[in-house]
Amino acid sequence: MRTLTAGDILQVWERAAQQPPVERALAMLGVACPELTPAQLAELDLGQRDARLWDLRALTFGTQLAAFAECPRCEQRLEFAFDVPALEPAASQPLLELATDAGTLQFRLPTSADLRAIADCGDLGQAQRALARRCLLPSCGLQSPDLQHGTPLPESIVFELAQHLQQHMPTAEITLAMECPACQHQWQSCLDVVSFLWGEIAAQARRLLREVHLLASAYGWREADILALSPVLRQAYLGMLS
Ligand SMILES: [Zn+2]
């Protein structure tokens, strides 16, 4: 994995700005991880994907992370800072089991390829059923004669499986314990690395575009040459313009 250069950030932003989160995550990792093919990246489970995204965040923007949240009780705006968590990607594709009334289910963790496949589902319930069906292994020990391949899974099993999948993706979301300094309300806030890192990349891309615009207008330099300048030099030239 390598850090994203100024040119990479503009390229990723241009490629994925109109895309859903699953494609944004793959676009960011596609540039940062040239050692993996697009198909290999899409087959990483979401825990492995997100651990790599946190690594990419630390490489590109540093390990300090500043964010804000709004108190759900009094709407006070809280700013907070912490270090990017060091996450160990889980062993590749572990098989998980879930004991149900119909037998023991064996399933694997969802991947980006799974999320792509269910993107066209009309509603959340349909998406959960499709995801459960995809992640359930064919050799699973379901005993019920109703559970033939291709038949819809019973709602109770879909619900259990969805809960279980969520619990077994420990790196998919970072949960933060929050306390409001104004009203002392305590709650848990989830930090999704895909939307967080994408927000930073989009903000950085807009800053870079403004800098390219200013320097190109003043000196007539090409975009690629401006982006190839180190941040220190770019800021120095911008300082002379203002
Ligand atoms: Zn509050």
Side-chain angles (χ1 to χ4, degrees):
M1 176 179 290
R2 62 176 179 80
T3 184
L4 297 181
T5 64
D8 292 335
I9 287 174
L10 273 190
Q11 183 197 332
V12 167
W13 177 73
E14 180 187 20
R15 188 186 297 170
Q18 307 298 324
Q19 300 288 324
V22 59
E23 301 301 337
R24 289 177 175 177
L26 290 173
M28 293 187 273
L29 289 179
V31 175
C33 304
E35 70 277 13
L36 294 180
T37 65
Q40 286 172 323
L41 284 172
E43 291 300 332
L44 294 176
D45 71 55
L46 299 184
Q48 296 171 320
R49 179 199 72 173
D50 288 359
R52 282 171 186 267
L53 286 171
W54 280 121
D55 286 345
L56 177 59
R57 199 290 174 176
L59 270 177
T60 304
F61 296 114
T63 55
Q64 266 284 308
L65 191 146
F68 73 89
E70 197 173 77
C71 173
R73 185 193 279 170
C74 73
E75 297 181 358
Q76 168 91 7
R77 186 183 155 103
L78 276 73
E79 290 185 12
F80 56 95
F82 59 96
D83 279 337
V84 169
L87 299 172
E88 289 297 323
S92 68
Q93 303 289 335
L95 299 187
L96 299 173
E97 291 193 339
L98 173 66
T100 72
D101 293 343
T104 300
L105 305 180
Q106 276 193 327
F107 60 97
R108 57 174 179 78
L109 293 178
T111 65
S112 299
D114 293 321
L115 296 188
R116 269 180 177 158
I118 64 168
D120 293 334
C121 288
D123 60 62
L124 184 62
Q126 192 188 350
Q128 282 178 335
R129 283 191 293 278
L131 189 62
R133 173 65 78 186
R134 283 180 67 88
C135 293
L136 196 60
L137 296 178
S139 60
C140 72
L142 290 180
Q143 302 302 317
S144 166
D146 299 336
L147 297 173
Q148 302 295 324
H149 181 71
T151 57
L153 288 170
E155 284 296 327
S156 60
I157 291 185
V158 170
F159 182 77
E160 258 186 283
L161 191 48
Q163 298 279 309
H164 211 63
L165 284 173
Q166 187 69 27
Q167 285 166 11
H168 284 86
M169 288 194 287
T171 61
E173 281 180 342
I174 303 297
T175 305
L176 301 165
M178 311 287 292
E179 180 172 351
C180 174
C183 73
Q184 278 72 54
H185 179 60
Q186 294 181 343
W187 76 99
Q188 291 196 325
S189 184
C190 288
L191 194 61
D192 166 37
V193 64
V194 177
S195 59
F196 186 84
L197 182 54
W198 179 260
E200 290 186 312
I201 283 184
Q204 180 75 349
R206 283 188 285 270
R207 265 194 299 275
L208 286 167
L209 282 178
R210 212 161 32 241
E211 292 175 7
V212 168
H213 167 70
L214 290 172
L215 291 174
S217 301
Y219 297 105
W221 295 338
R222 295 164 57 241
E223 180 192 69
D225 294 335
I226 295 169
L227 292 175
L229 291 172
S230 71
V232 173
L233 271 184
R234 225 172 23 243
Q235 293 309 314
Y237 281 117
L238 285 166
M240 290 176 202
L241 294 182
S242 55

